[in-house]
Amino acid sequence: MSVPGRNAPCPCGSGKRYKECHGALAASAGARAVADPERTRLDAALAAQQAGRYTEAIALYEAVIADHPHTFDAVHMLGVVHFQRGEFVRARELLTRALEIMPRDAGARHNLQLVDSALERRAIARTICAEILPRFARRCIAAPLPAIRSRWHDGTADVIIAKADMRDAWDEVTALTRWLGIRATVWLYPGTVAPTLAPSALRTIDPERGDLPQHDVTIFFGADISPATWYPRSHATDIALFCDADDPSLLVDRIPELAREGRTPLHLLFKSTAIARRIGLPGCVVESTATPPRARIRQ
């Protein structure tokens, strides 16, 4: 993928043409830019960002920042990527940091205003969704089981990684499968970066090729990504959602979708008691792996 055309809008959101914004920064490097690994990585990151390969773009921007922490382009555009992914708190941290490097940059100031507006709207949406969620979600939620494993007796399941940013969460997937006492096939959406030491039973969802979860039990790890492209073809009879964050604005859409509007009641698994209390729906808390499995299930 190529960088934007010189007269195209700059993807940083400044409202300027690319040649007058980040394109000008690249041009100012002159002949050095061709051989400069930092500029090469920045160009590759921008191309990945434009193509929607946000995980790849983040990794490239972070690699530049690791070597050169005060590179404005990398810090600024990393903030924009997180904004594009809906990760507004992280986006605000990065854009604030970018403005500390270049306080007068109009593009960064504009993007910070966009993030602040988005955070304000999200707070309003969460408040509204928190009030609405209990009113309709209970018909989609399965009653907590006295022992989940007594129902999932065959010990096999598909675990769908539906969390947008998994960098710090892979250990939680392992802990969850151990807690449930299951042998899991872990499924990724295209573009999700697998851990360096990936489990052998790890596959990528590809509806066009027919590569889809096949087990009767399906557990969704996170609620960020909708399964709409393949879920109607799923024949799973036991569905669970692992909630690692208390975001009612995600759950208000995802719970009915996963429960097929109540036709396949959904089990909720909570990362902590605090999250379970804030969400306020019936389910089970996934506690420390040091606790015996059946003692860890709470209603």
Side-chain angles (χ1 to χ4, degrees):
M1 299 297 296
S2 62
V3 297
R6 285 173 50 75
N7 291 314
C10 187
C12 77
S14 65
K16 299 179 181 179
R17 290 179 293 182
Y18 178 68
K19 68 180 181 181
E20 298 167 344
C21 193
H22 281 78
L25 293 174
S28 67
R32 185 181 68 86
V34 176
D36 187 347
E38 179 182 343
R39 175 51 56 186
T40 299
R41 284 186 295 185
L42 285 171
D43 289 343
L46 185 58
Q49 181 179 357
Q50 287 183 292
R53 303 192 306 271
Y54 296 142
T55 302
E56 178 184 344
I58 287 173
L60 289 166
Y61 286 131
E62 288 181 341
V64 173
I65 293 170
D67 293 337
H68 306 281
H70 299 290
T71 303
F72 170 80
D73 278 5
V75 177
H76 179 200
M77 295 308 288
L78 181 58
V80 174
V81 175
H82 282 287
F83 174 59
Q84 291 172 313
R85 298 210 319 181
E87 297 159 359
F88 302 143
V89 174
R90 179 60 175 155
R92 194 182 196 287
E93 293 173 355
L94 289 160
L95 291 171
T96 301
R97 180 176 162 190
L99 283 169
E100 291 173 354
I101 299 170
M102 292 186 64
R104 297 184 179 182
D105 186 82
R109 290 201 306 271
H110 173 73
N111 287 330
L112 183 58
Q113 290 174 351
L114 292 179
V115 170
D116 284 340
S117 296
L119 282 168
E120 183 178 358
R121 291 194 301 272
R122 173 171 286 182
I124 295 171
R126 283 183 172 180
T127 300
I128 294 172
C129 290
E131 295 176 358
I132 295 174
L133 186 60
R135 300 180 187 179
F136 78 91
R138 293 184 185 277
R139 65 183 173 85
C140 298
I141 303 300
L145 298 170
I148 286 180
R149 293 195 303 167
S150 68
R151 183 167 183 176
W152 296 344
H153 56 82
D154 64 351
T156 59
D158 290 310
V159 174
I160 315 300
I161 303 300
K163 184 177 173 67
D165 188 351
M166 285 294 295
R167 286 174 299 169
D168 302 321
W170 285 106
D171 287 345
E172 293 179 11
V173 176
T174 301
L176 176 62
T177 57
R178 287 178 179 172
W179 181 78
L180 293 170
I182 57 173
R183 299 183 305 278
T185 301
V186 179
W187 292 83
L188 308 180
Y189 285 94
T192 302
V193 176
T196 303
L197 299 176
S200 57
L202 190 150
R203 303 179 63 181
T204 299
I205 294 174
D206 188 342
E208 293 185 2
R209 295 178 54 183
D211 294 337
L212 301 171
Q214 300 295 328
H215 289 112
D216 291 338
V217 177
T218 298
I219 301 166
F220 288 84
F221 187 92
D224 298 355
I225 305 172
S226 169
T229 57
W230 63 271
Y231 198 52
R233 296 162 61 180
S234 169
H235 300 291
T237 55
D238 279 309
I239 313 295
L241 170 62
F242 177 74
C243 303
D244 65 339
D246 58 329
D247 189 345
S249 56
L250 281 178
L251 297 179
V252 78
D253 291 326
R254 201 67 67 235
I255 286 176
E257 181 180 37
L258 298 183
R260 300 181 176 115
E261 298 296 337
R263 294 190 299 275
T264 309
L266 178 73
H267 300 287
L268 291 184
L269 307 174
F270 300 109
K271 179 179 178 179
S272 68
T273 301
I275 290 175
R277 287 174 177 168
R278 287 196 291 266
I279 292 177
L281 296 175
C284 300
V285 177
V286 179
E287 295 182 352
S288 169
T289 54
T291 310
R294 291 185 183 278
R296 291 189 224 114
I297 297 175
R298 292 184 177 177
Q299 299 184 17

